[in-house]
Amino acid sequence: MVSGLPMTHSLPQIDSRHRRSVEPISTPDRLLLGPGPSNAHPTVLSALARTPIGHLDPLYVDLMGEVQELLRYAWQTDNRLTLPMSGTGSAAMEATLANTVEPGDRVLVAVKGYFGNRLADMAGRYRADVRVIEKPWGEAFTLDELDSALQHHKPAILAMVHAETSTGVCQPMEGVGDLCRKHDCLLLLDTVTSLGGVPLYLDEWKVDMAYSCSQKGLSCPPGLGPFTMGPRAEAKLAARKDKVPNWYLDVSLLNQYWGSDRVYHHTAPVNMNFGMREALRLLADEGLDNAWSRHRCNAEALWKGLESLGLEMHVPEALRLPTLTTVRIPDDVDGKAFSSYLLNTHGIEVGGGLGALAGKIWRVGLMGYNSTPENVNRLLNLFETELPRFREGSCVAA
Amino acid sequence: MVSGLPMTHSLPQIDSRHRRSVEPISTPDRLLLGPGPSNAHPTVLSALARTPIGHLDPLYVDLMGEVQELLRYAWQTDNRLTLPMSGTGSAAMEATLANTVEPGDRVLVAVKGYFGNRLADMAGRYRADVRVIEKPWGEAFTLDELDSALQHHKPAILAMVHAETSTGVCQPMEGVGDLCRKHDCLLLLDTVTSLGGVPLYLDEWKVDMAYSCSQKGLSCPPGLGPFTMGPRAEAKLAARKDKVPNWYLDVSLLNQYWGSDRVYHHTAPVNMNFGMREALRLLADEGLDNAWSRHRCNAEALWKGLESLGLEMHVPEALRLPTLTTVRIPDDVDGKAFSSYLLNTHGIEVGGGLGALAGKIWRVGLMGYNSTPENVNRLLNLFETELPRFREGSCVAA
C-alpha cells in the first residue's frame, strides 16, 4: 500500500535479510600516533555528547561566531570568510578549488607528496588547466624554483601543501606570498597537518585560501574542515560567470548562513561544532606560542630518541614537521609487522608510508592532545625494547 | 622566520586580536520538535564521545560493514553501494546527482516544496538540462501527472522528494518506479524525513538512488548523509565519459574505501559513524514495523489533539507525514512569537514555514527518539494553555 495511508492498510512484508542483531559498540581506547586521526581531548569528546540544539537557534548562532573568531586566531588571519566546512579536511580542500576555479583557469600545483597530487586531481575536475611541478617525496620547494615555475606557467592559482602528511616535510613559506602577488596569482595552502601545531601566519604570508582538518593539531575527531578565504580570493569568487559547480561547498551560499543573514543552507553538524568550539577554546587558552613550542619540544625529543636507537629520519631537520615524523624503516625490519604488533598488542597506532614511500617509512604523529612527553617516552621505550624482535633473523612472536 | 626551523630562531609576533577567552560550553537540553535536527538517543550521544580509532583500523573496517548492512535494512534495499556520506543530508543529495548526471543529461524534478527546488538548483550545477514540474506546497503528484511529464520531457533521471520537510507531505510512491522503467529513466528519491520513521521500501518501489540524513528518524546528530545507489544507477556511473566532477562525493572512489579494497580516500568522521552505528543498531533492535507504527500512533495523537483545539493541519490526512506535521497558524495568532516563547520559556523548538509557507505554518517534528506519547502530551498541553495568550487582543507576556 501507499505510504502515508493509515497503518491499518496492508504494507508490503518487511525484508529482514539485512537486519542484524549486534552488540552495543565497544571500541578500544587506542593511542593514535599515526598521521591522523589523533586522539581527541576529553573535553572535546564530552562536548560531542551534548544534546543537539537547532542549527538556527540563537545560541548556535553565537557559537558559530565564536568558532569563526577562534579559527582566525589559530590561523593568524583577519579573513571574514573563515568557517568550518561540514565535511572532513578533504571537503575543505575541495571547497578552495570549487569556489575559485573557473573552467580553463590555470592552476599550478607544487607537488611534493600525496596530497599535492590530490589537489591536482581535484582541480582537474573543476576543469582547470592543471600544471604540475614536482619534488621528490621528502624535499621542499625553494623560492627560486617557485619563481621560475610561476614565470613559466603564469597560473591563476598556485596550490601547495604547507605540512605534507605523506612525507613529514614542512614547506618554508616566507616569500611565497610575495612571489604570488608579483605574478598576479592566488596562493592556496594546505595546512591540514600544521594548524594548531606548527607556526602558521596566513596573513603575514599573504595566503589567499587555506584549509585544514579537525583531527590533528586541534584535538577534535575528524568531521569538520576549517576553511578560509581572503579578499583577493573573494574577488575572484564574486567575478565568477556561473554558479559555483558544487552546491554543498558554495561559499557564496555558506556566507549567507555563517554571515549576519543566517539564511538556512544545510543543517549544520551541530555536535561536531560543539567539539570544534571546545577544541579552539583550549588552543586559545594554551596560546599559540605555547602550543607550537610544546609540539616542537616533544618532536625534538622523539627525533633524538629514535636517532639514539640508530634509526634515521626521512626528512632533514630544517624541513621536519613537528607534528608528523617520518622514520625510515631499516632494511632488515618488517615495518608492517612491527606497526601491527604495536596496534594489536599495545593499542598504539603508527602509520605506514603512502605512494612512493609505501613500505619505506613509518609515520609518527605527535599532534594536539597527543603531543606529550609521556607519549614520546612510551613510544621510544617500545622501539627500544620491541623493535629488535622484528629484525630479520629474530624470532617474531605471532 | 621560516617555519620548520628550530624555535630558537625568531618568529613573527603572534597577533592576539582574535584570541578570545570563552567559558566552557554550556548549551541547554532543548526538546527539538522542529523539522530537524531532532534529539539524539542518549546511547548514540555516548557513542560520539568514545575515543576515536583510525579510519583504516581493522575494527573500524568491521564497523563500516555493520553500518552498511544496517542501512540496507532501514532502507529495505540490497544495494551494494549503500554508505553514509561524510557530510550532512545535503551532501548525500548532491552525491546522487554528481555521480550520475553528465553534462546535457535531462533531469526532471518534481517540485512540491523547498527541497525539490534544491534538487533542481544542484542538478543545474552539474550542467543538466533541468526540467521542472510543480505542485502547490501541500499537495502530492499523481501517477498520471508523472506519466505525462515523463512522456513529455523524456528525462534520464526523475528526481523527487518522498517526505517533503517543508510541507509535511508524503508522496505516494507505488507505481512510480514502474513508470520510470517504462520511460527508461532513473528514479532518484529524497528520503531525508522518512528513513526510520515512515514506511519505505526502496527495492520494492524500484528506486535507483536515494539519500537521507542522520538527525531525524535515526536519532543521531546531524553530520552524516546516508546514500544508496542501485545497479541501474551504477551502470550510468560506470559509463561516464569523464571523472565525476566532485572529488569528495565520487562514489567510484568511495567504493574502493567502503568496498573490500579499503583504499584510503578521505579520513572518515569516525565518531559520527560510531553514533550512526548505534542509531542503526537501535532501529534494528526495535524493528522497522515497530518504529513505523510508533511514529504513526504518536503523530495521529498529535493531529487529533491539535484538531480538538481548533487548529487545522496543512496537509490532508491521506498524504500526511507521521514524522513532520504542518499546522496552519490561525489568522489571529503571531506564530513566530509563540514559537519563540516555546523555545525561550520551555526549551522546546518548533519550526516555522519555509518559502511559500513562511509565516503560515508551524512545523512540528516527532522523529526517532522524540516520537513519544510524553512529548505529544507536553506539546499539546502548551498549545492548549499558552496559545490563547498569543491571539490578537490578548496580553502577551514579553
Side-chain angles (χ1 to χ4, degrees):
Chain A
M1 279 309 304
V2 173
S3 70
L5 291 186
M7 296 286 280
T8 45
H9 293 245
S10 70
L11 288 163
Q13 186 75 29
I14 290 174
D15 179 347
S16 290
R17 281 175 305 125
H18 301 291
R19 188 177 182 179
R20 292 284 175 278
S21 180
V22 294
E23 293 297 309
I25 192 167
S26 66
T27 48
D29 282 347
R30 303 272 205 225
L31 176 59
L32 303 175
L33 301 181
S38 189
N39 288 69
H41 194 290
T43 299
V44 171
L45 290 175
S46 301
L48 291 183
R50 301 185 73 79
T51 301
I53 57 177
H55 56 291
L56 299 170
D57 190 308
L59 296 176
Y60 190 68
V61 168
D62 292 344
L63 184 138
M64 289 161 68
E66 290 171 345
V67 166
Q68 292 187 281
E69 189 64 358
L70 291 168
L71 261 181
R72 290 185 190 106
Y73 169 65
W75 252 328
Q76 292 285 288
T77 182
D78 290 339
N79 290 345
R80 192 176 67 86
L81 282 175
T82 301
L83 54 89
M85 288 286 163
S86 301
T88 68
S90 297
M93 176 191 274
E94 185 150 3
T96 56
L97 294 162
N99 282 281
T100 53
V101 172
E102 286 189 281
D105 277 352
R106 191 165 295 162
V107 175
L108 176 64
V109 188
V111 176
K112 58 181 199 301
Y114 187 90
F115 293 93
N117 283 326
R118 176 171 299 181
L119 278 164
D121 180 354
M122 281 183 183
R125 292 172 193 244
Y126 290 90
R127 297 191 280 158
D129 171 11
V130 181
R131 308 293 173 94
V132 166
I133 49 172
E134 291 192 76
K135 291 287 279 189
W137 290 31
E139 298 181 18
F141 289 92
T142 64
L143 280 184
D144 280 351
E145 288 165 342
L146 293 172
D147 195 15
S148 311
L150 288 169
Q151 178 72 33
H152 178 71
H153 292 291
K154 303 194 185 342
I157 298 172
L158 169 66
M160 60 197 303
V161 177
H162 180 222
E164 237 313 336
T165 319
S166 62
T167 67
V169 166
C170 186
Q171 169 68 47
M173 289 305 299
E174 281 204 328
V176 179
D178 288 320
L179 279 183
C180 288
R181 303 275 167 120
K182 184 176 97 178
H183 293 286
D184 194 26
C185 86
L186 297 177
L187 175 57
L188 190 173
L189 193 66
D190 176 320
T191 68
V192 165
T193 304
S194 47
L195 184 65
V198 182
L200 189 52
Y201 300 88
L202 284 198
D203 286 0
E204 173 90 14
W205 292 345
K206 301 188 174 71
V207 173
D208 298 297
M209 284 177 278
Y211 56 88
S212 191
C213 73
S214 49
Q215 74 273 13
K216 299 189 180 188
L218 299 185
S219 313
C220 187
L224 291 178
F227 167 95
T228 189
M229 180 183 250
R232 296 171 79 233
E234 264 199 73
K236 185 153 174 29
L237 169 61
R240 287 189 77 97
K241 281 189 225 60
D242 296 314
K243 281 184 186 176
V244 172
N246 185 317
W247 184 91
Y248 192 63
L249 302 175
D250 182 343
V251 174
S252 55
L253 298 178
L254 286 166
N255 183 40
Q256 296 181 282
Y257 175 57
W258 282 88
S260 52
D261 302 345
R262 307 298 178 187
V263 174
Y264 168 59
H265 178 252
H266 66 275
T267 300
V270 290
N271 289 56
M272 282 303 303
N273 276 294
F274 290 168
M276 175 60 84
R277 191 267 192 196
E278 289 301 274
L280 291 168
R281 174 177 73 79
L282 294 169
L283 179 62
D285 282 356
E286 181 178 14
L288 280 180
D289 41 0
N290 292 327
W292 294 345
S293 298
R294 175 168 57 83
H295 281 83
R296 184 83 209 174
C297 288
N298 291 318
E300 285 179 354
L302 177 71
W303 302 339
K304 199 183 267 182
L306 290 171
E307 280 163 349
S308 77
L309 296 174
L311 291 162
E312 213 179 329
M313 304 305 109
H314 181 62
V315 176
E317 183 160 358
L319 296 177
R320 227 175 266 166
L321 273 175
T323 40
L324 186 95
T325 297
T326 45
V327 188
R328 288 196 181 136
I329 299 171
D331 288 341
D332 62 349
V333 167
D334 180 343
K336 177 72 193 156
F338 182 59
S339 55
S340 295
Y341 165 79
L342 289 178
L343 185 69
N344 296 324
T345 308
H346 296 276
I348 298 179
E349 183 176 87
V350 159
L354 281 178
L357 296 173
K360 296 185 181 160
I361 57 167
W362 290 297
R363 292 189 293 160
V364 181
L366 291 171
M367 303 192 277
Y369 180 67
N370 278 358
S371 173
T372 65
E374 295 71 26
N375 287 341
V376 171
N377 291 336
R378 186 169 165 201
L379 192 65
L380 285 175
N381 188 47
L382 286 167
F383 267 92
E384 183 172 6
T385 57
E386 304 298 326
L387 186 59
R389 298 171 49 225
F390 291 85
R391 292 189 180 270
E392 259 170 40
S394 312
C395 173
V396 181
Chain B
M1 281 307 305
V2 173
S3 70
L5 292 184
M7 296 285 280
T8 47
H9 294 246
S10 69
L11 288 164
Q13 187 74 30
I14 290 173
D15 179 347
S16 289
R17 282 176 303 127
H18 301 292
R19 187 177 182 179
R20 292 283 177 278
S21 179
V22 294
E23 293 297 310
I25 193 168
S26 67
T27 47
D29 282 347
R30 304 270 205 227
L31 177 59
L32 303 175
L33 300 182
S38 189
N39 288 70
H41 195 289
T43 299
V44 172
L45 290 175
S46 301
L48 291 183
R50 300 185 74 80
T51 301
I53 57 177
H55 55 291
L56 300 170
D57 190 307
L59 296 177
Y60 190 68
V61 167
D62 292 344
L63 183 137
M64 288 160 69
E66 290 171 347
V67 166
Q68 293 186 280
E69 189 64 356
L70 290 168
L71 261 180
R72 290 185 189 106
Y73 169 65
W75 252 328
Q76 292 287 288
T77 181
D78 290 339
N79 290 345
R80 192 177 67 86
L81 283 176
T82 301
L83 53 90
M85 288 285 163
S86 300
T88 67
S90 296
M93 175 191 274
E94 185 150 4
T96 55
L97 294 162
N99 282 282
T100 52
V101 172
E102 287 190 281
D105 276 353
R106 191 165 296 163
V107 176
L108 176 65
V109 187
V111 177
K112 59 181 197 301
Y114 187 90
F115 293 94
N117 283 326
R118 176 171 299 180
L119 279 164
D121 179 355
M122 282 183 180
R125 291 171 192 245
Y126 290 91
R127 297 191 279 158
D129 170 10
V130 182
R131 307 293 173 94
V132 166
I133 50 171
E134 293 192 76
K135 290 288 279 191
W137 290 31
E139 298 182 18
F141 289 91
T142 65
L143 281 183
D144 280 350
E145 287 164 342
L146 293 171
D147 196 15
S148 310
L150 290 168
Q151 177 72 32
H152 178 69
H153 293 290
K154 302 193 185 346
I157 298 171
L158 169 66
M160 60 197 302
V161 177
H162 181 220
E164 238 312 336
T165 319
S166 62
T167 66
V169 166
C170 187
Q171 170 68 47
M173 289 305 299
E174 280 204 326
V176 179
D178 287 320
L179 279 183
C180 288
R181 303 275 167 118
K182 184 177 95 179
H183 294 284
D184 194 26
C185 86
L186 297 177
L187 174 57
L188 191 174
L189 192 66
D190 175 321
T191 66
V192 164
T193 304
S194 47
L195 184 65
V198 182
L200 189 53
Y201 301 88
L202 285 197
D203 286 1
E204 173 91 14
W205 292 344
K206 301 187 173 73
V207 174
D208 297 297
M209 286 178 277
Y211 57 88
S212 191
C213 72
S214 49
Q215 75 272 13
K216 300 188 180 187
L218 298 184
S219 312
C220 187
L224 292 177
F227 166 95
T228 189
M229 181 183 249
R232 297 171 79 231
E234 265 199 72
K236 183 153 175 29
L237 169 61
R240 289 189 75 97
K241 282 189 225 55
D242 297 314
K243 281 185 187 176
V244 172
N246 185 318
W247 184 91
Y248 192 63
L249 303 175
D250 182 342
V251 174
S252 54
L253 298 178
L254 286 166
N255 183 39
Q256 296 182 283
Y257 175 57
W258 283 87
S260 51
D261 303 344
R262 306 299 178 187
V263 174
Y264 168 58
H265 179 252
H266 67 275
T267 300
V270 290
N271 290 56
M272 283 302 304
N273 276 293
F274 290 169
M276 175 60 84
R277 189 268 193 196
E278 289 300 274
L280 290 167
R281 174 177 72 81
L282 293 169
L283 179 62
D285 282 357
E286 180 177 14
L288 280 179
D289 40 0
N290 291 326
W292 294 344
S293 297
R294 175 169 55 84
H295 281 83
R296 183 83 208 172
C297 288
N298 291 317
E300 285 179 355
L302 177 72
W303 303 337
K304 199 183 268 183
L306 290 171
E307 280 163 349
S308 77
L309 296 174
L311 291 161
E312 214 178 327
M313 305 303 109
H314 181 63
V315 176
E317 181 160 0
L319 297 177
R320 228 175 265 167
L321 274 175
T323 41
L324 186 95
T325 297
T326 44
V327 188
R328 289 197 180 137
I329 299 173
D331 289 340
D332 61 348
V333 166
D334 180 343
K336 178 73 192 156
F338 182 60
S339 55
S340 295
Y341 165 80
L342 289 178
L343 185 70
N344 296 324
T345 308
H346 296 277
I348 299 179
E349 183 176 87
V350 158
L354 281 177
L357 295 174
K360 297 186 180 159
I361 56 166
W362 290 297
R363 292 187 296 159
V364 180
L366 290 172
M367 304 192 275
Y369 180 64
N370 278 357
S371 173
T372 65
E374 295 71 27
N375 287 340
V376 171
N377 291 335
R378 188 170 163 198
L379 192 64
L380 285 176
N381 188 47
L382 286 168
F383 267 91
E384 183 171 5
T385 57
E386 303 299 324
L387 185 61
R389 298 172 47 227
F390 291 84
R391 291 188 181 270
E392 258 169 41
S394 313
C395 173
V396 180

